[in-house]
Amino acid sequence: MAGLQVEKRVKYKSSVKDPGTPGLLRIEVMLLFVPEDPKSDSKLKVQTQNIKSQKYTKEGSNKPPWLNLTNKQGRSHIFEFENYQDMHSCRDFITKALAKCEEEPKKPAVSTSSAEQLSIADFELRFKLLRENSELQRLHKQFVESKVLTEDEFWATRKKLLGKDSVRKSKQQLGLKSMMVSGIKPSTDGRTNRVTFNLTPEIIFQIFAEKPAVRQAFINYVPSKMTEKDFWTKYFRAEYLYSTKNTAVAAAEAAEDEELAVFLKPDEILAQEARQKIRRVDPTLDMEADQGDDYTHLMDHGIQRDGTLDLVEPKNDQFKRSLLQDLNRHAAVVLEGRSIDVESEDTRTVAEALTRVKQVSKADSEANQERLERISRVAGMEDLQEPQNFPLAPLSIKDPRDYFESQQGNVLNEPRGAGGLKRNIHEAYGLLKASILDIRTKGLCDPLIKPEVSFEVFSSLTRTISTAKNIIGKNPRESFLDRLPKATKDEVLHHWTSIQELLRHFWSSYPISTTYLHTKVGKLKDAMSNTYSQLEAMKESVQSDLRHQVSLLVRPMQQALDAAFQHYEADLQRRTAKSGGGERPNGCV
Amino acid sequence: MRKKKMIFKIEDVTVYFPYENIYPEQYEYMIELKRTLDAKGHCLLEMPTGTGKTIALLSLITSYRLSRPDSPIKLVYCTRTVHEMEKTLAELKVLHDYQVSQLGAQAKILAIGLSSRKNLCVNPKVLAAENRDSVDAACRKRTASWVRDMAVENKNVELCDYFENHEKAGENALLPPGVYTLEDLRTFGKNRGWCPYFLARHMVQFANVIVYSYQYLLDPKVAGIISKELQKESVVVFDEAHNIDNVCIEALSVSVRRVTLEGANRNLNKIRQEIDRFKATDAGRLRAEYNRLVEGLALRGDLSGTDQWLANPALPHDILKEAVPGNIRRAEHFVHVLRRLLQYLGGRLDTENVEKESPVSFVSSLNSQAGIEQKTLKFCYDRLHSLHVNPLKLQIQMNLCLFRQCATLQLLLGHMQGAFPSSLSLTTKECLIFQILYCSCHDASLAIKPVFDRFQSVVITSGTLSPIDLYPRLLSFNPVVSRSFKMSMTRDCICPMVLTRGSDQLPVSTKFDMRSDPGVVRNYGKLLVEMVSIVPDGVVCFFVSYSYMDGIIATWSETGILKEIMQQKLVFIETQDVVETTLALDNYRRACDRGRGAVFFSVARGKVAEGIDFDRHYGRLVVMYGVPFQYTLSKILLARLEYLRDTFQIKEGDFLTFDALRQAAQCVGRVIRSKADYGMMIFADKRYSRHDKRSKLPGWILSHLRDNLSTDMAIHIAREFLRKMAQPYDKAGTTMGKKTLLTQEDLDKMAETGVQDMVY
C-alpha cells in the first residue's frame, strides 16, 4: 500500500439528509477526511480495516455519485463525489485495501482483533449471501436497516448459511433450459411482413453451444466483415430457409451468398466432434462398431425392411437438416450444461470462451479407464449378488415447493372411480403407529418397514399436503398464487417471509430474561403490528374478485401474528403483576 | 460378511456360478442345456428377458468343459451386434475370475471376441479411414503378400509394423489365457506390437470361447475364411435369436442397382487393362495363375465333404468335384464373360415394370440371351477371387467390392438354382424411382444348414421364441430339446398395458387410414406428455417406422406437445445415421444417470430395438406406438409370404402378425434385466386388444396384461405401479410359497429331495 494513495474532493455527509461538508478525502492506510472549512469539526479518520462494507450509487441513476462506507461499529459515512470516476477509483482502492486486510488477520501479530469482531471474510460472506439472495436482502434491508433487529441477531438464525461448506456447495451451476432455441417464435407487427427476433445472451449462448459452425463464423466475421446485427439477421434468414423446407431455394440463396451458405451447410465442426466422441462411447452401446462388423449396412446387402426408403437426390442434401438432429444436438448441449463461467454481455467473449472449452475437453484418458470399470460393474446381475454400495449424491431440489405441488396435482388428478380403494389418512396413521410399535418390541429387522405400510403412509401424505390454493384453482397444476398479479404475489410472499422472520425472533426471545431481550421484543412487536396493518392494507387494495382468495391466504399469517400479540400482552400483564408481587426471577412464564 | 458364490452339481457336472444366488429358471435352463450337450444335439430355449440367460449359458458350458477334460468342447457364441459381444465378454470375465479363483490354473480358458479390422486395428494411419471398407482397403494395402514382396525391393513401400511383428513371431504369436474383449485385444496388441486383428484370427483355432457376430458363421463368404478351422466338437450358441430367420435370409440376399453396375463396369475395364499390361510384360505370371487355378480345383475336389463344406454352404459335393468350365479359365476370356453378364443385367434393369422371376427362368434366359451357362456362374466368384488376389496385385481393391457384389449375386443364383431346384431365390425388379434388381433368398434354412450339419450342438435361445414350434420348421432342423420357460416373479415387476383409446375415448392406432388423423397423433402425444410427468428416469418410445416417427415428431413439435415433453425430460432420437444414434444413446444414458431423465424415440426393427438394453433406470417405461408390421407392399415380402404358404402352409396374415408381435415383444422386453428391475410397457394401438394379436404375445407378458385402457386409466395404473415398485420387497420370495431366488442351501436341499417340487 506504501506510496499509493488517492485524494479526491468530496462532500462528507454523516447521514443521508445531511447537506454535506465539502472537503478532501485522502485514502491510504487510513481514510482521512479534511474539511475545507477548517472550523468545521467533521474531520474524520477511519482505519481501512474497520470498514465493513461499502455501498455506492449506480452510474446512470439520477442520484449523485455517493459512496457509503459502513464501519464495524455500524456507523456509516457518506461521501458525495464530484463525478463517478472519482468515486470508482476510491471504491477500487478501498476494495483492495479490504482484500489486504483480509489476509492480515491470519497473522498472529494482528490477532488483536477481538473475538466478537467478525473477520472481514465473514462480512464478505454475508454480503455475498445478501447479493445472491434477493429475498434475504430485502429482509435484511427491512429489519436491520430499520433497526428492528441488529446485524448479529439477523445472522444468528442463519448460521447454517454462514457455514463455510454450504457456501461452496451451494455454488451449483444453473443448468440450461430444456427449451429449444428454434422454439423461439418471432414476433410480428401484424401489418408488414417484418418479423422480429428477440435475442438474449442466454439464447446466444445456446446457439453458440449447439452450433459450433455459427460460433466459428461469428468469430471470423464479426466485427471485421459485418456487424453483429447483420450477422444475426443472416442467421435467422438461414433458419427461416430451413423452416420452409424448400431445399431448392436454400441452395439457390447459398450459392449467391457465401456467408449465408455457412449457416446452411452441415456443421463440419460438429461432425468432427462426433468422430472424437464416438471413440469414448460406452462399448456396450456402440452401434457404430457394428457397422464394421457385418455388411448388411452396405447399400446392396440384405433386404430393406422399412419399405419407404428415402434416398433423396444427393444434390441438395447438404441443405437438408432434420429436426431430429437438432433435437439430439440440443439435448446433448443441455446435458453438458454450462461449461463456461463467463457472465458476459459481449457475444464475442462468449464465443471465444466456448471454443476454448471445446479444445480443452478433448484430451482425457482416464475417462476410458472409468468407462471400462463401469462396464464390468454393470455386467453383473444386481439381485443375484450382495448389494453394492454406490456413493450417494445429495439430493438438491432447488424449489421444494414446486416438487410438492406437482405431487399434489398428481394426487388430485386421479379419477374418481379409484377412490374406493384408498384408505383414509387415519387408517394410514394407524398402520404407521402399529409398525412403530412393532419395531419397539421386536427391534429393527429387514425390511425396516413393511412395504404396504410405507406405501399407504406415503400416498395419504401426498394426498393431504394440500392447501386452499390447489383446490380452488381451476387447473390443479396452476396454484391460486400464480393467478395473482405478479406484484401482489411478490408482496404476499414477501410478507410471508418477513412474518416468518419476525416470529422466529419473537418466539426465540421468550422467556425474557434480560432487558436486552425486553427491548428486542418491544421492537419486534412494533414491526409486527406494522406488518399487520400492511397486510390489512393489501387486502383492501386487491381487486374485488381476488379479495376472498387473498384474505384466505393472509388469514393464517394474521392468525400467527395474533397469537404472538396475545402472548406478548399476556406476558406483559404477568410481568407487571409479578414485578408488583414479589422477588421472583425474571422471565419465568 | 459376503456370502459365498455358488458351486452346485447338475447330474455329473459341477457348475460354478459367479453369484450368491440363482433364479430357479436359470437352474432349469442349465439342466435342459446340459441334456442337450449330453445328447450332442440341437436345442431351442425360450426364457423371458431379465432372467440371466447369458450367464446361465456361459456358466454351464464352461463348467461342462471343465468336467470333461478329456474331450474339451469349444464354445462359439454368436451375438447379433458388437456391443452385445462386449457385454457377453464382460459377463464371461466375471465368471472366469470366479472359476480360476476356485480351481486355479486348470480353469483358465482363452476367450476372444472377434470383429472386423475396423474395430480391432491399432495402426493409427489405417484407422484414420472413415468407414469399414476404407479401413479394410488401407489395411490390405499394407499387409497383402504382394505388397510385402514389393517392399523387400523398394524401401518406400509402406507396411504395417504391427502386422510385420506378428508375422515375425509366426506360430509363437500367442495370447496368454484369459478373457479378451476387443479393447483388451487392442491393448495387448499395442503393447506387444502385434496386430490384434490377425492375432485374433490366428487364435480362433486355439481359443476355448469365441464370441463373434452371426455373420461369421452364417454368411458363406465370411464363414469360409474365418470359421473353417472350428472343430466339430463345438457348441454354437445363437443368442437373441428371435430374428435368426431374417438374418439367415439376409446373409444370402443381395441387390443390384444401376450404380453398382456402373462401378462394376469401370472395375472391369481396369482389370482388362491390367491383364493387357501383364500380357505384354509378364505373361508368365498369368500362366502361373492359370496353373494354380487348375491345381487348386483338383485339390479342392479331394477335400470336399470335410471342412471345406462350410466355405460354400450352397454347394453340394458333386459341384465341388466339377472342374472350372473352360471358357473362364483364361483370364481374358473370363473378363469377356463378365462383360456379357453385366450387359445382360443392365438390360434387365431397363424395364419399366415390376418383374418377378424364379432362378430357373432367370438362369435360362441368361443362358439364351447372354450365352452364359449356369455352370459358369457357379465359378465366377472363385475365379474372380483367384484372379485378383494372385496375379494382378490390384490396388483398386476397394472399388472392386462393388463388382464382387455382382459376382456374388451370380454365384448365389447359380448355386442355389442348381442345388435346390425347388427353391426360393428369386429376382424382383422394383420400378419405383430406382430400378433395382433384388436377389432375395426365402428359405432361412439354407444359410444355417451347414452350421447344423457341422457342429455337435447348436443352441438357439432368446427371450421371445413363441410360437416355439415355428422355428424348427423355418430353419428345418430337429431339436432334441425345445422348451419355453416361465418367469417366476418375486413381485409383479412388469406392468404391460394395452392402450386402445385416448383420454377423449377415441381409438388410437397406426393403421394406415388412421395414422395421420390429427386426433390420433394428439392422443399419442398426450399419452407421452402425461407419462413423462409421472415416470422417473428413462422412457423409451418405439414407432413403427422412421418415416412415421419423423412425421409424428414434426407434428408434435408444431403443436407444442414436444415442448411440453421437453419440460419434463430431455429428448433423444434414433436417426438413420448410426454415429449420431450412438451418441444420442450415450447422452441418453448419461441423462438418466444424472437423474435428469430422458425420453428416447426409436424405431421398431431399427438397430436400437435389436440390440440395446434399456434396463434399470435407463428404461422405466416403454411405449410401443402401433403394431410394427413389415412393409406389406414390398414385393420381396410378398414373395416370401408366398413361399412360406406353399412350403410350410403358414398363412400370410399369421406370419405377418407373428413377425410384428415378436418385434413388439422384443422392443418392450428390453426394459427388464433382472427381477430386481421393474418397468412398464404400453402397447398403444387398438389392434392389440384383438385376440389374434394378443394371443401371440409371449406368456410372461400376457399373464400381467391389462387390456383395453384409455390414457387416463393407464396413467392411474402407472402411478400406482410406480409407487408400489418404490417399496422395499422380499427378494427371495420366501413368503409367497415358491422361491424365486435360490441359495446354495436351497440347491443342496433340492439335490437331496429331487428337483421338481422346489422349483414351481
Side-chain angles (χ1 to χ4, degrees), chain B residues 415-653:
Chain B
H415 291 331
M416 232 144 266
Q417 197 266 338
F420 305 91
S422 67
S423 86
L424 7 138
S425 155
L426 117 171
T427 328
T428 310
K429 215 172 267 176
E430 293 208 346
C431 301
L432 300 164
I433 319 162
F434 306 99
Q435 292 158 326
I436 305 173
L437 182 74
Y438 288 110
C439 165
S440 47
C441 165
H442 294 140
D443 188 350
S445 63
L446 270 184
I448 204 170
K449 187 169 186 300
V451 180
F452 282 132
D453 288 348
R454 185 166 150 194
F455 296 108
Q456 177 179 309
S457 294
V458 176
V459 179
I460 292 178
T461 184
S462 171
T464 38
L465 285 176
S466 33
I468 201 161
D469 53 329
L470 185 63
Y471 284 85
R473 278 162 75 198
L474 284 179
L475 302 178
S476 67
F477 74 109
N478 291 317
V480 289
V481 174
S482 156
R483 223 188 119 171
S484 177
F485 295 89
K486 278 206 197 67
M487 188 175 183
S488 64
M489 287 205 210
T490 320
R491 50 176 183 170
D492 295 333
C493 63
I494 58 169
C495 177
M497 301 179 244
V498 170
L499 182 117
T500 54
R501 288 157 292 142
S503 293
D504 51 7
Q505 306 304 319
L506 289 175
V508 291
S509 175
T510 57
K511 238 163 89 174
F512 200 72
D513 49 343
M514 281 177 76
R515 62 166 59 175
S516 47
D517 180 350
V520 172
V521 172
R522 192 187 58 240
N523 270 332
Y524 274 155
K526 285 285 173 214
L527 169 70
L528 190 59
V529 169
E530 296 280 346
M531 281 295 173
V532 289
S533 71
I534 60 164
V535 177
D537 301 322
V539 174
V540 194
C541 302
F542 288 102
F543 296 88
V544 286
S545 70
Y546 280 111
S547 49
Y548 181 63
M549 180 171 79
D550 251 353
I552 202 168
I553 289 177
T555 321
W556 285 353
S557 141
E558 278 158 26
T559 50
I561 287 175
L562 198 63
K563 212 165 111 191
E564 280 181 68
I565 295 170
M566 280 163 78
Q567 271 170 4
Q568 306 284 344
K569 290 182 195 300
L570 288 175
V571 173
F572 295 95
I573 304 171
E574 173 182 9
T575 63
Q576 268 148 322
D577 178 359
V578 184
V579 175
E580 193 181 334
T581 307
T582 306
L583 289 178
L585 265 176
D586 195 49
N587 283 327
Y588 169 81
R589 287 215 165 168
R590 273 193 293 139
C592 292
D593 284 340
R594 292 195 191 166
R596 187 150 188 164
V599 189
F600 195 85
F601 290 132
S602 177
V603 174
R605 298 173 191 280
K607 289 248 174 212
V608 172
E610 299 229 323
I612 304 292
D613 280 341
F614 293 99
D615 52 330
R616 296 170 300 142
H617 61 290
Y618 297 131
R620 287 304 184 202
L621 166 70
V622 46
V623 185
M624 177 75 237
Y625 285 112
V627 187
F629 282 116
Q630 289 192 53
Y631 179 63
T632 41
L633 297 180
S634 146
K635 294 277 179 300
I636 302 169
L637 180 63
L638 289 179
R640 179 162 184 221
L641 289 175
E642 197 177 301
Y643 169 77
L644 285 171
R645 192 190 55 214
D646 296 348
T647 329
F648 299 118
Q649 287 78 48
I650 299 170
K651 271 190 239 148
E652 284 102 330

Side-chain angles (χ1 to χ4, degrees), chain A residues 281-295:
Chain A
V281 117
D282 185 347
T284 55
L285 28 94
D286 188 359
M287 292 190 299
E288 206 252 342
D290 294 342
Q291 272 214 325
D293 212 46
D294 56 38
Y295 36 85

Side-chain angles (χ1 to χ4, degrees), chain A residues 178 283-285 289-290 292-293 295 300-301 305 324-325 328 335 374 379-381 383-385 451 454-455, chain B residues 19-21 23 82-83 115-116 119 132 213 219 255 257 260 405 550 566 573 593-594 673 723 727-728:
Chain A
S178 298
T284 55
L285 28 94
D290 294 342
D293 212 46
Y295 36 85
D300 292 321
H301 273 280
R305 306 260 197 78
L324 307 190
Q325 277 173 324
N328 276 337
L335 193 64
R374 241 185 58 134
M381 294 191 62
D383 61 338
L384 291 184
Q385 53 194 341
S454 48
F455 180 58
Chain B
Y19 293 106
E20 291 87 11
N21 299 301
Y23 296 140
V82 175
H83 48 264
S115 183
S116 64
N119 292 334
R132 174 218 162 101
S213 155
D219 190 302
S255 57
R257 52 189 89 211
T260 327
Q405 223 155 43
D550 251 353
M566 280 163 78
I573 304 171
D593 284 340
R594 292 195 191 166
R673 188 176 140 87
R723 225 172 269 154
Q727 309 307 318

Side-chain angles (χ1 to χ4, degrees), chain A residues 502-543:
Chain A
L502 287 171
L503 285 173
R504 189 160 46 220
H505 284 284
F506 179 82
W507 290 111
S508 66
S509 325
Y510 282 92
I512 296 171
S513 48
T514 58
T515 45
Y516 170 73
L517 281 176
H518 185 70
T519 45
K520 184 184 172 190
V521 167
K523 274 194 288 181
L524 285 170
K525 194 230 151 198
D526 290 343
M528 284 196 296
S529 45
N530 211 352
T531 320
Y532 196 90
S533 50
Q534 277 173 8
L535 281 178
E536 285 293 326
M538 189 183 72
K539 266 201 308 196
E540 300 298 314
S541 68
V542 105
Q543 279 169 22

